[in-house]
Amino acid sequence: MDIGGTAAAIRNGDRRALARAITLVESARADHRALAVALLAALGRAPFGDRQALRLGLSGTPGVGKSTFIEAFGMMLVDAGLRVAVLAVDPSSARSGGSILGDKTRMERLSRQPQAFIRPSPSQAQMGGVARRTREAVALCEAAGFDVILIETVGVGQSETMVAETCDLFVLLMAPAGGDELQGVKRGIMEMADLILVNKSDGDLLAAATRTCADYAGALNLLRHRPQDPPGFPKAMPVSAVTGAGLAQAWAEMQALADWRRAQGHWAARRAEQAAHWFGQEVRQGLLAALDREPARGLMGRLAAEVGQGAKTPEAAAAEMLAALGRG
Amino acid sequence: MDIGGTAAAIRNGDRRALARAITLVESARADHRALAVALLAALGRAPFGDRQALRLGLSGTPGVGKSTFIEAFGMMLVDAGLRVAVLAVDPSSARSGGSILGDKTRMERLSRQPQAFIRPSPSQAQMGGVARRTREAVALCEAAGFDVILIETVGVGQSETMVAETCDLFVLLMAPAGGDELQGVKRGIMEMADLILVNKSDGDLLAAATRTCADYAGALNLLRHRPQDPPGFPKAMPVSAVTGAGLAQAWAEMQALADWRRAQGHWAARRAEQAAHWFGQEVRQGLLAALDREPARGLMGRLAAEVGQGAKTPEAAAAEMLAALGRG
C-alpha cells in the first residue's frame, strides 16, 4: 500500500480510498495494523487537526426511527451544501452476526448523494476492536473533509460510552411515550445527552410527542448543570423525520451549542481528553495483544489447563506466565 | 510475615489470622501482593483442594431484606453445627465511598458466634481489585475450613458476574411484587439464579409473596434448561427471614442441588472453569500493572499530555509507549 498516495486520495475526497482505509483499520492482521498506524500518522490526525468535522453521536432504541431520521436529517445537510458521513457502531454484532446499517437501502436517497458516505458496522469485530475501529474511522472521515460525521449506535451501554469517547455532541432520539416509560430511560444516558429529539411528532402522535417532549424537558431540568452547557442545554425538542418538521431547528440548536463550546474552550478540551483516553486504550490493548501471539498463546492454554486440573493455583500459574513474558 | 505460620493459623481456624490475610489480599502494594501470592500457594489453593466450602452467592435489590435473611439463615446453619463466613461484594463502593456490611450490627447475633466470620467490603478497592479480592478472600475462608461461604452482592451487573465466577450456587432474594415488577427483573440475572427466594412471606404480605413465588416459578419454567440443573431446578420458594419460615426447606434444596452437581461432575467442572478464568484475569492484570510502575507511569503521563496537545497521534504515542515497555 502506498501510504502517501492513499493519504492524499483520502484528503482529496476519494470515497473508494476512504472505504479501503476503513477496511484497513478494521482488520485484526498485524501487517494491516502497522499500515493503519502509518496512514493515520500520515493524515496528521490530532485533536486539533486542520479539518474538524462535527462528530455527532446518535442513539435510540430500535423502532424509534433512527434510519428514517438519518436519511431526512442527512439529506437536509447535503442540500445545504455540507458533506455528511454516517458510521454505525454495533457492539452486539459480534455475537448476533447481524449489523445495523447493513443495508444501505434503509437510507436510499442519502446513499446516492455524492456528498454523503455511509458505512455499515463490520460484522466480526470484537469489543475493543469496535471502539478502535469507530474512532479511527471517524478520524479518516474527518481527514477526508466531511463536515458532519453521524455516529449511530444501538441503545446499548457500552456503545454509548464509545460515543462519549468519540463525539462532540450526543443526540438521543426518542419516541412519544407515556410518563411511565419515561421513567424507564436510564439516568446515565439522559445525563450524556446534549439534545433529546422526540421523533414522530406528526399525525396521530403529535399530541403525545408534545407531552413527551415536555416530560423530557422537565427531567433534563432536574439534572445537575454541566459546565460544558450554555443556558437552556441540554434541551428536548419535537421532530418528525417523515414530515421534516423540527429538523432545521434541531440543526440550528446543534450549531449554536457547538459554537458556544468552541468559543468557551470546551470543544478543544474534550477532544484533548478523548485523544488522551484513546492513547491509554491503545497502550492497554497493545500490552494484552502479547497474549494472542505464539508462543505465549500456547503457554496460556497449557497453564489454564493445569489450573483447571488443580495442578497449580491461578496465582502461581499467572506468575509463571508473566515471567515467561518478561514481566515477573 | 511468616507465611508458613500464617497458613497454619488460618487452617487451624484462627479468625484474626484470617482477617489479616484478607487485608493482605486487599492491599494494592507490590510487597503485599508477593506475600499474598505466597500465602495462597502455601494454603494449597486449588479447585480440587481438600477443603471445599459451599460457595453461596446471594443477590437482591436494596430493601429486600438481605441482612435480615443472612442473619437468620446464618444462625440456622450455625445452630446446625456448621461454620459460616459472610463476605460482601460491592463494586460501587469505590465511587460512593460507602460499603455494604459496613456495620456488623446489621447481623448482630451472627457476628457474635464463634463459628461465624463476617467481613465487610473494603471501601477503596478498584473494580479489578474487587474481583480479585473476592475470589482470594473466598479461597482463604475455604482454607480456614468454613462449611458455607455466603457472598453477598448488591444488585449491580458486574458484581453478579463476579458471583458467577466465584460461586457454586447462586440465590436471588426477592420481595413480594406485582406482575409488572416481575417483568422488570433483568432476564440475565434470572438466567443465573439456581434458587429464587421470595422473602417477607409473613403477615400481611403472605398472600402477595405466594403469588409472586408462583409468578417466578412460571418465569423460570420458560427459561432454557441448563445441563447443570436436576429436574425441578431452578426453583422459586417463599421464605421469611423474620419468622424463619421456609429457611430449612431452602437449605435442604441447596444441599440437594449441590449433591446432584457433585455427583454429575458439574461441580468440579465449574470450579475448574472458574480457576482457569481467574488465571487469565491475573495474567491480564499483571500485564497492565506494568503501566502503574515508574518510570512507565511517568512516560504514560508525558505522552498523554503530548497527545492531548495534538503534538502526537494517539496511535503513534501508543507505539512509542509499547516500544519503551519492550513491546514494539
Side-chain angles (χ1 to χ4, degrees), chain A residues 157-193:
Chain A
Q158 287 187 288
S159 66
E160 290 149 15
T161 309
M162 274 184 311
V163 167
E165 292 167 358
T166 311
C167 295
D168 301 311
L169 299 187
F170 180 54
V171 173
L172 199 53
L173 196 66
M174 306 300 275
D180 289 353
E181 291 174 74
L182 188 145
Q183 293 181 347
V185 178
K186 280 182 295 175
R187 188 184 172 85
I189 192 166
M190 287 275 285
E191 287 174 343
M192 282 173 55

PDB file of all heavy atoms in Angstrom, chain A residues 157-193:
ATOM      1  N   GLY A 157     -25.324  -0.142  26.521  1.00  0.00           N
ATOM      2  CA  GLY A 157     -24.455   0.589  27.442  1.00  0.00           C
ATOM      3  C   GLY A 157     -23.077   0.902  26.899  1.00  0.00           C
ATOM      4  O   GLY A 157     -22.647   2.049  26.886  1.00  0.00           O
ATOM      5  N   GLN A 158     -22.390  -0.100  26.403  1.00  0.00           N
ATOM      6  CA  GLN A 158     -21.004   0.125  26.030  1.00  0.00           C
ATOM      7  C   GLN A 158     -20.850   0.983  24.793  1.00  0.00           C
ATOM      8  O   GLN A 158     -19.879   1.708  24.658  1.00  0.00           O
ATOM      9  CB  GLN A 158     -20.292  -1.210  25.857  1.00  0.00           C
ATOM     10  CG  GLN A 158     -20.048  -1.871  27.218  1.00  0.00           C
ATOM     11  CD  GLN A 158     -19.205  -3.104  27.107  1.00  0.00           C
ATOM     12  OE1 GLN A 158     -19.673  -4.124  26.622  1.00  0.00           O
ATOM     13  NE2 GLN A 158     -17.970  -3.027  27.543  1.00  0.00           N
ATOM     14  N   SER A 159     -21.814   0.886  23.872  1.00  0.00           N
ATOM     15  CA  SER A 159     -21.688   1.710  22.679  1.00  0.00           C
ATOM     16  C   SER A 159     -21.878   3.173  23.044  1.00  0.00           C
ATOM     17  O   SER A 159     -21.299   4.055  22.436  1.00  0.00           O
ATOM     18  CB  SER A 159     -22.677   1.285  21.606  1.00  0.00           C
ATOM     19  OG  SER A 159     -23.994   1.538  22.020  1.00  0.00           O
ATOM     20  N   GLU A 160     -22.689   3.415  24.070  1.00  0.00           N
ATOM     21  CA  GLU A 160     -22.891   4.793  24.490  1.00  0.00           C
ATOM     22  C   GLU A 160     -21.602   5.375  25.047  1.00  0.00           C
ATOM     23  O   GLU A 160     -21.273   6.522  24.810  1.00  0.00           O
ATOM     24  CB  GLU A 160     -24.009   4.855  25.536  1.00  0.00           C
ATOM     25  CG  GLU A 160     -25.370   4.574  24.930  1.00  0.00           C
ATOM     26  CD  GLU A 160     -26.326   3.915  25.909  1.00  0.00           C
ATOM     27  OE1 GLU A 160     -26.047   3.917  27.113  1.00  0.00           O
ATOM     28  OE2 GLU A 160     -27.352   3.392  25.442  1.00  0.00           O
ATOM     29  N   THR A 161     -20.864   4.570  25.782  1.00  0.00           N
ATOM     30  CA  THR A 161     -19.582   5.010  26.294  1.00  0.00           C
ATOM     31  C   THR A 161     -18.655   5.372  25.135  1.00  0.00           C
ATOM     32  O   THR A 161     -17.992   6.408  25.143  1.00  0.00           O
ATOM     33  CB  THR A 161     -18.934   3.893  27.126  1.00  0.00           C
ATOM     34  OG1 THR A 161     -19.886   3.440  28.067  1.00  0.00           O
ATOM     35  CG2 THR A 161     -17.701   4.403  27.850  1.00  0.00           C
ATOM     36  N   MET A 162     -18.657   4.521  24.116  1.00  0.00           N
ATOM     37  CA  MET A 162     -17.798   4.782  22.964  1.00  0.00           C
ATOM     38  C   MET A 162     -18.164   6.092  22.306  1.00  0.00           C
ATOM     39  O   MET A 162     -17.292   6.844  21.877  1.00  0.00           O
ATOM     40  CB  MET A 162     -17.940   3.658  21.942  1.00  0.00           C
ATOM     41  CG  MET A 162     -17.017   2.516  22.259  1.00  0.00           C
ATOM     42  SD  MET A 162     -17.088   1.244  21.020  1.00  0.00           S
ATOM     43  CE  MET A 162     -18.815   0.986  20.822  1.00  0.00           C
ATOM     44  N   VAL A 163     -19.480   6.350  22.221  1.00  0.00           N
ATOM     45  CA  VAL A 163     -19.903   7.605  21.605  1.00  0.00           C
ATOM     46  C   VAL A 163     -19.381   8.779  22.424  1.00  0.00           C
ATOM     47  O   VAL A 163     -18.868   9.760  21.884  1.00  0.00           O
ATOM     48  CB  VAL A 163     -21.442   7.632  21.472  1.00  0.00           C
ATOM     49  CG1 VAL A 163     -21.915   9.030  21.135  1.00  0.00           C
ATOM     50  CG2 VAL A 163     -21.889   6.650  20.405  1.00  0.00           C
ATOM     51  N   ALA A 164     -19.461   8.660  23.745  1.00  0.00           N
ATOM     52  CA  ALA A 164     -18.971   9.742  24.606  1.00  0.00           C
ATOM     53  C   ALA A 164     -17.481   9.965  24.401  1.00  0.00           C
ATOM     54  O   ALA A 164     -16.993  11.089  24.501  1.00  0.00           O
ATOM     55  CB  ALA A 164     -19.253   9.417  26.067  1.00  0.00           C
ATOM     56  N   GLU A 165     -16.783   8.880  24.084  1.00  0.00           N
ATOM     57  CA  GLU A 165     -15.339   8.983  23.917  1.00  0.00           C
ATOM     58  C   GLU A 165     -14.952   9.459  22.519  1.00  0.00           C
ATOM     59  O   GLU A 165     -13.782   9.661  22.230  1.00  0.00           O
ATOM     60  CB  GLU A 165     -14.690   7.620  24.194  1.00  0.00           C
ATOM     61  CG  GLU A 165     -14.794   7.207  25.654  1.00  0.00           C
ATOM     62  CD  GLU A 165     -14.454   5.741  25.871  1.00  0.00           C
ATOM     63  OE1 GLU A 165     -14.180   5.040  24.881  1.00  0.00           O
ATOM     64  OE2 GLU A 165     -14.485   5.305  27.031  1.00  0.00           O
ATOM     65  N   THR A 166     -15.929   9.585  21.632  1.00  0.00           N
ATOM     66  CA  THR A 166     -15.634   9.863  20.231  1.00  0.00           C
ATOM     67  C   THR A 166     -16.330  11.111  19.700  1.00  0.00           C
ATOM     68  O   THR A 166     -15.878  11.697  18.734  1.00  0.00           O
ATOM     69  CB  THR A 166     -16.064   8.649  19.367  1.00  0.00           C
ATOM     70  OG1 THR A 166     -15.543   7.461  19.943  1.00  0.00           O
ATOM     71  CG2 THR A 166     -15.578   8.761  17.949  1.00  0.00           C
ATOM     72  N   CYS A 167     -17.445  11.525  20.328  1.00  0.00           N
ATOM     73  CA  CYS A 167     -18.299  12.559  19.734  1.00  0.00           C
ATOM     74  C   CYS A 167     -18.097  13.933  20.356  1.00  0.00           C
ATOM     75  O   CYS A 167     -17.632  14.064  21.476  1.00  0.00           O
ATOM     76  CB  CYS A 167     -19.759  12.170  19.884  1.00  0.00           C
ATOM     77  SG  CYS A 167     -20.142  10.688  18.963  1.00  0.00           S
ATOM     78  N   ASP A 168     -18.515  14.949  19.574  1.00  0.00           N
ATOM     79  CA  ASP A 168     -18.549  16.313  20.083  1.00  0.00           C
ATOM     80  C   ASP A 168     -19.910  16.610  20.703  1.00  0.00           C
ATOM     81  O   ASP A 168     -20.011  17.298  21.706  1.00  0.00           O
ATOM     82  CB  ASP A 168     -18.281  17.298  18.946  1.00  0.00           C
ATOM     83  CG  ASP A 168     -16.932  17.062  18.295  1.00  0.00           C
ATOM     84  OD1 ASP A 168     -15.940  16.953  19.028  1.00  0.00           O
ATOM     85  OD2 ASP A 168     -16.881  16.959  17.056  1.00  0.00           O
ATOM     86  N   LEU A 169     -20.959  16.094  20.065  1.00  0.00           N
ATOM     87  CA  LEU A 169     -22.328  16.263  20.553  1.00  0.00           C
ATOM     88  C   LEU A 169     -23.008  14.904  20.592  1.00  0.00           C
ATOM     89  O   LEU A 169     -22.721  14.049  19.766  1.00  0.00           O
ATOM     90  CB  LEU A 169     -23.159  17.152  19.619  1.00  0.00           C
ATOM     91  CG  LEU A 169     -22.742  18.589  19.366  1.00  0.00           C
ATOM     92  CD1 LEU A 169     -23.844  19.286  18.541  1.00  0.00           C
ATOM     93  CD2 LEU A 169     -22.533  19.322  20.666  1.00  0.00           C
ATOM     94  N   PHE A 170     -23.928  14.754  21.525  1.00  0.00           N
ATOM     95  CA  PHE A 170     -24.649  13.490  21.623  1.00  0.00           C
ATOM     96  C   PHE A 170     -26.154  13.753  21.619  1.00  0.00           C
ATOM     97  O   PHE A 170     -26.676  14.473  22.470  1.00  0.00           O
ATOM     98  CB  PHE A 170     -24.248  12.747  22.896  1.00  0.00           C
ATOM     99  CG  PHE A 170     -24.943  11.427  23.064  1.00  0.00           C
ATOM    100  CD1 PHE A 170     -24.893  10.473  22.063  1.00  0.00           C
ATOM    101  CD2 PHE A 170     -25.670  11.143  24.213  1.00  0.00           C
ATOM    102  CE1 PHE A 170     -25.540   9.246  22.200  1.00  0.00           C
ATOM    103  CE2 PHE A 170     -26.318   9.918  24.365  1.00  0.00           C
ATOM    104  CZ  PHE A 170     -26.246   8.977  23.358  1.00  0.00           C
ATOM    105  N   VAL A 171     -26.828  13.154  20.629  1.00  0.00           N
ATOM    106  CA  VAL A 171     -28.265  13.336  20.455  1.00  0.00           C
ATOM    107  C   VAL A 171     -28.983  12.030  20.751  1.00  0.00           C
ATOM    108  O   VAL A 171     -28.586  10.967  20.256  1.00  0.00           O
ATOM    109  CB  VAL A 171     -28.584  13.783  19.009  1.00  0.00           C
ATOM    110  CG1 VAL A 171     -30.085  13.801  18.767  1.00  0.00           C
ATOM    111  CG2 VAL A 171     -27.975  15.152  18.748  1.00  0.00           C
ATOM    112  N   LEU A 172     -30.011  12.125  21.554  1.00  0.00           N
ATOM    113  CA  LEU A 172     -30.815  10.957  21.895  1.00  0.00           C
ATOM    114  C   LEU A 172     -32.142  11.075  21.154  1.00  0.00           C
ATOM    115  O   LEU A 172     -32.852  12.066  21.306  1.00  0.00           O
ATOM    116  CB  LEU A 172     -31.037  10.962  23.413  1.00  0.00           C
ATOM    117  CG  LEU A 172     -31.457   9.691  24.108  1.00  0.00           C
ATOM    118  CD1 LEU A 172     -30.523   8.545  23.789  1.00  0.00           C
ATOM    119  CD2 LEU A 172     -31.496   9.965  25.614  1.00  0.00           C
ATOM    120  N   LEU A 173     -32.452  10.087  20.326  1.00  0.00           N
ATOM    121  CA  LEU A 173     -33.704  10.094  19.571  1.00  0.00           C
ATOM    122  C   LEU A 173     -34.708   9.217  20.311  1.00  0.00           C
ATOM    123  O   LEU A 173     -34.443   8.045  20.591  1.00  0.00           O
ATOM    124  CB  LEU A 173     -33.450   9.557  18.157  1.00  0.00           C
ATOM    125  CG  LEU A 173     -34.537   9.840  17.120  1.00  0.00           C
ATOM    126  CD1 LEU A 173     -34.627  11.341  16.836  1.00  0.00           C
ATOM    127  CD2 LEU A 173     -34.260   9.085  15.825  1.00  0.00           C
ATOM    128  N   MET A 174     -35.861   9.800  20.658  1.00  0.00           N
ATOM    129  CA  MET A 174     -36.843   9.070  21.449  1.00  0.00           C
ATOM    130  C   MET A 174     -38.183   9.053  20.725  1.00  0.00           C
ATOM    131  O   MET A 174     -38.457   9.887  19.869  1.00  0.00           O
ATOM    132  CB  MET A 174     -37.021   9.735  22.816  1.00  0.00           C
ATOM    133  CG  MET A 174     -35.732   9.918  23.596  1.00  0.00           C
ATOM    134  SD  MET A 174     -34.856   8.375  23.959  1.00  0.00           S
ATOM    135  CE  MET A 174     -35.698   7.887  25.454  1.00  0.00           C
ATOM    136  N   ALA A 175     -39.027   8.106  21.113  1.00  0.00           N
ATOM    137  CA  ALA A 175     -40.371   8.027  20.565  1.00  0.00           C
ATOM    138  C   ALA A 175     -41.356   8.646  21.555  1.00  0.00           C
ATOM    139  O   ALA A 175     -41.063   8.727  22.745  1.00  0.00           O
ATOM    140  CB  ALA A 175     -40.740   6.565  20.307  1.00  0.00           C
ATOM    141  N   PRO A 176     -42.511   9.101  21.088  1.00  0.00           N
ATOM    142  CA  PRO A 176     -43.544   9.569  22.015  1.00  0.00           C
ATOM    143  C   PRO A 176     -43.887   8.437  22.974  1.00  0.00           C
ATOM    144  O   PRO A 176     -43.970   7.277  22.563  1.00  0.00           O
ATOM    145  CB  PRO A 176     -44.741   9.864  21.100  1.00  0.00           C
ATOM    146  CG  PRO A 176     -44.151  10.072  19.750  1.00  0.00           C
ATOM    147  CD  PRO A 176     -42.941   9.185  19.686  1.00  0.00           C
ATOM    148  N   ALA A 177     -44.053   8.765  24.266  1.00  0.00           N
ATOM    149  CA  ALA A 177     -44.255   7.705  25.251  1.00  0.00           C
ATOM    150  C   ALA A 177     -45.013   8.239  26.440  1.00  0.00           C
ATOM    151  O   ALA A 177     -45.084   9.450  26.654  1.00  0.00           O
ATOM    152  CB  ALA A 177     -42.903   7.163  25.716  1.00  0.00           C
ATOM    153  N   GLY A 178     -45.576   7.353  27.229  1.00  0.00           N
ATOM    154  CA  GLY A 178     -46.249   7.750  28.455  1.00  0.00           C
ATOM    155  C   GLY A 178     -45.237   8.060  29.537  1.00  0.00           C
ATOM    156  O   GLY A 178     -44.054   7.762  29.406  1.00  0.00           O
ATOM    157  N   GLY A 179     -45.710   8.678  30.619  1.00  0.00           N
ATOM    158  CA  GLY A 179     -44.826   9.069  31.712  1.00  0.00           C
ATOM    159  C   GLY A 179     -44.108   7.883  32.335  1.00  0.00           C
ATOM    160  O   GLY A 179     -42.970   7.995  32.776  1.00  0.00           O
ATOM    161  N   ASP A 180     -44.767   6.720  32.348  1.00  0.00           N
ATOM    162  CA  ASP A 180     -44.154   5.537  32.947  1.00  0.00           C
ATOM    163  C   ASP A 180     -42.917   5.112  32.158  1.00  0.00           C
ATOM    164  O   ASP A 180     -41.890   4.763  32.728  1.00  0.00           O
ATOM    165  CB  ASP A 180     -45.138   4.366  32.962  1.00  0.00           C
ATOM    166  CG  ASP A 180     -46.244   4.602  33.983  1.00  0.00           C
ATOM    167  OD1 ASP A 180     -46.133   5.588  34.733  1.00  0.00           O
ATOM    168  OD2 ASP A 180     -47.190   3.815  34.006  1.00  0.00           O
ATOM    169  N   GLU A 181     -43.051   5.138  30.838  1.00  0.00           N
ATOM    170  CA  GLU A 181     -41.926   4.718  30.002  1.00  0.00           C
ATOM    171  C   GLU A 181     -40.746   5.659  30.156  1.00  0.00           C
ATOM    172  O   GLU A 181     -39.598   5.260  30.126  1.00  0.00           O
ATOM    173  CB  GLU A 181     -42.351   4.657  28.534  1.00  0.00           C
ATOM    174  CG  GLU A 181     -43.334   3.530  28.261  1.00  0.00           C
ATOM    175  CD  GLU A 181     -43.857   3.590  26.844  1.00  0.00           C
ATOM    176  OE1 GLU A 181     -43.091   3.231  25.930  1.00  0.00           O
ATOM    177  OE2 GLU A 181     -45.015   3.994  26.646  1.00  0.00           O
ATOM    178  N   LEU A 182     -41.063   6.936  30.347  1.00  0.00           N
ATOM    179  CA  LEU A 182     -40.006   7.926  30.535  1.00  0.00           C
ATOM    180  C   LEU A 182     -39.154   7.548  31.731  1.00  0.00           C
ATOM    181  O   LEU A 182     -37.932   7.680  31.707  1.00  0.00           O
ATOM    182  CB  LEU A 182     -40.630   9.296  30.732  1.00  0.00           C
ATOM    183  CG  LEU A 182     -39.693  10.502  30.766  1.00  0.00           C
ATOM    184  CD1 LEU A 182     -40.373  11.696  30.121  1.00  0.00           C
ATOM    185  CD2 LEU A 182     -39.282  10.854  32.175  1.00  0.00           C
ATOM    186  N   GLN A 183     -39.816   7.043  32.771  1.00  0.00           N
ATOM    187  CA  GLN A 183     -39.061   6.668  33.961  1.00  0.00           C
ATOM    188  C   GLN A 183     -38.107   5.510  33.686  1.00  0.00           C
ATOM    189  O   GLN A 183     -37.154   5.293  34.421  1.00  0.00           O
ATOM    190  CB  GLN A 183     -40.024   6.301  35.089  1.00  0.00           C
ATOM    191  CG  GLN A 183     -40.827   7.511  35.567  1.00  0.00           C
ATOM    192  CD  GLN A 183     -41.764   7.183  36.707  1.00  0.00           C
ATOM    193  OE1 GLN A 183     -42.000   6.021  36.990  1.00  0.00           O
ATOM    194  NE2 GLN A 183     -42.278   8.204  37.366  1.00  0.00           N
ATOM    195  N   GLY A 184     -38.412   4.753  32.616  1.00  0.00           N
ATOM    196  CA  GLY A 184     -37.565   3.617  32.281  1.00  0.00           C
ATOM    197  C   GLY A 184     -36.288   4.012  31.557  1.00  0.00           C
ATOM    198  O   GLY A 184     -35.396   3.195  31.389  1.00  0.00           O
ATOM    199  N   VAL A 185     -36.206   5.276  31.126  1.00  0.00           N
ATOM    200  CA  VAL A 185     -34.985   5.724  30.448  1.00  0.00           C
ATOM    201  C   VAL A 185     -33.864   5.778  31.477  1.00  0.00           C
ATOM    202  O   VAL A 185     -34.003   6.372  32.535  1.00  0.00           O
ATOM    203  CB  VAL A 185     -35.180   7.117  29.820  1.00  0.00           C
ATOM    204  CG1 VAL A 185     -33.897   7.578  29.171  1.00  0.00           C
ATOM    205  CG2 VAL A 185     -36.307   7.085  28.811  1.00  0.00           C
ATOM    206  N   LYS A 186     -32.769   5.137  31.155  1.00  0.00           N
ATOM    207  CA  LYS A 186     -31.694   5.094  32.125  1.00  0.00           C
ATOM    208  C   LYS A 186     -31.144   6.485  32.380  1.00  0.00           C
ATOM    209  O   LYS A 186     -30.888   7.251  31.467  1.00  0.00           O
ATOM    210  CB  LYS A 186     -30.587   4.159  31.632  1.00  0.00           C
ATOM    211  CG  LYS A 186     -30.908   2.690  31.879  1.00  0.00           C
ATOM    212  CD  LYS A 186     -29.773   1.811  31.412  1.00  0.00           C
ATOM    213  CE  LYS A 186     -29.607   1.900  29.907  1.00  0.00           C
ATOM    214  NZ  LYS A 186     -28.459   1.157  29.408  1.00  0.00           N
ATOM    215  N   ARG A 187     -30.932   6.785  33.660  1.00  0.00           N
ATOM    216  CA  ARG A 187     -30.435   8.088  34.053  1.00  0.00           C
ATOM    217  C   ARG A 187     -29.085   8.378  33.394  1.00  0.00           C
ATOM    218  O   ARG A 187     -28.817   9.500  32.958  1.00  0.00           O
ATOM    219  CB  ARG A 187     -30.286   8.115  35.575  1.00  0.00           C
ATOM    220  CG  ARG A 187     -29.959   9.463  36.137  1.00  0.00           C
ATOM    221  CD  ARG A 187     -29.717   9.396  37.648  1.00  0.00           C
ATOM    222  NE  ARG A 187     -29.232  10.672  38.131  1.00  0.00           N
ATOM    223  CZ  ARG A 187     -30.010  11.682  38.476  1.00  0.00           C
ATOM    224  NH1 ARG A 187     -31.306  11.540  38.407  1.00  0.00           N
ATOM    225  NH2 ARG A 187     -29.498  12.828  38.897  1.00  0.00           N
ATOM    226  N   GLY A 188     -28.256   7.355  33.274  1.00  0.00           N
ATOM    227  CA  GLY A 188     -26.928   7.533  32.717  1.00  0.00           C
ATOM    228  C   GLY A 188     -26.961   8.095  31.305  1.00  0.00           C
ATOM    229  O   GLY A 188     -26.186   8.986  30.953  1.00  0.00           O
ATOM    230  N   ILE A 189     -27.894   7.600  30.493  1.00  0.00           N
ATOM    231  CA  ILE A 189     -27.931   8.055  29.099  1.00  0.00           C
ATOM    232  C   ILE A 189     -28.556   9.435  29.017  1.00  0.00           C
ATOM    233  O   ILE A 189     -28.156  10.264  28.193  1.00  0.00           O
ATOM    234  CB  ILE A 189     -28.625   7.017  28.185  1.00  0.00           C
ATOM    235  CG1 ILE A 189     -28.384   7.360  26.722  1.00  0.00           C
ATOM    236  CG2 ILE A 189     -30.099   6.903  28.456  1.00  0.00           C
ATOM    237  CD1 ILE A 189     -28.718   6.258  25.766  1.00  0.00           C
ATOM    238  N   MET A 190     -29.500   9.717  29.910  1.00  0.00           N
ATOM    239  CA  MET A 190     -30.067  11.069  29.967  1.00  0.00           C
ATOM    240  C   MET A 190     -28.966  12.076  30.289  1.00  0.00           C
ATOM    241  O   MET A 190     -28.910  13.169  29.722  1.00  0.00           O
ATOM    242  CB  MET A 190     -31.136  11.151  31.068  1.00  0.00           C
ATOM    243  CG  MET A 190     -32.445  10.462  30.775  1.00  0.00           C
ATOM    244  SD  MET A 190     -33.594  11.496  29.830  1.00  0.00           S
ATOM    245  CE  MET A 190     -34.132  12.634  31.107  1.00  0.00           C
ATOM    246  N   GLU A 191     -28.103  11.715  31.207  1.00  0.00           N
ATOM    247  CA  GLU A 191     -27.042  12.635  31.646  1.00  0.00           C
ATOM    248  C   GLU A 191     -26.013  12.896  30.550  1.00  0.00           C
ATOM    249  O   GLU A 191     -25.284  13.869  30.599  1.00  0.00           O
ATOM    250  CB  GLU A 191     -26.344  12.075  32.899  1.00  0.00           C
ATOM    251  CG  GLU A 191     -27.213  12.180  34.141  1.00  0.00           C
ATOM    252  CD  GLU A 191     -26.610  11.500  35.349  1.00  0.00           C
ATOM    253  OE1 GLU A 191     -25.683  10.684  35.174  1.00  0.00           O
ATOM    254  OE2 GLU A 191     -27.080  11.772  36.465  1.00  0.00           O
ATOM    255  N   MET A 192     -25.945  11.976  29.575  1.00  0.00           N
ATOM    256  CA  MET A 192     -24.986  12.140  28.483  1.00  0.00           C
ATOM    257  C   MET A 192     -25.532  13.021  27.368  1.00  0.00           C
ATOM    258  O   MET A 192     -24.778  13.559  26.566  1.00  0.00           O
ATOM    259  CB  MET A 192     -24.648  10.783  27.870  1.00  0.00           C
ATOM    260  CG  MET A 192     -23.686   9.946  28.664  1.00  0.00           C
ATOM    261  SD  MET A 192     -23.570   8.302  27.898  1.00  0.00           S
ATOM    262  CE  MET A 192     -23.110   8.747  26.210  1.00  0.00           C
ATOM    263  N   ALA A 193     -26.861  13.123  27.265  1.00  0.00           N
ATOM    264  CA  ALA A 193     -27.485  13.759  26.105  1.00  0.00           C
ATOM    265  C   ALA A 193     -27.277  15.262  26.097  1.00  0.00           C
ATOM    266  O   ALA A 193     -27.358  15.925  27.125  1.00  0.00           O
ATOM    267  CB  ALA A 193     -28.973  13.438  26.084  1.00  0.00           C
TER     268      ALA A 193
END
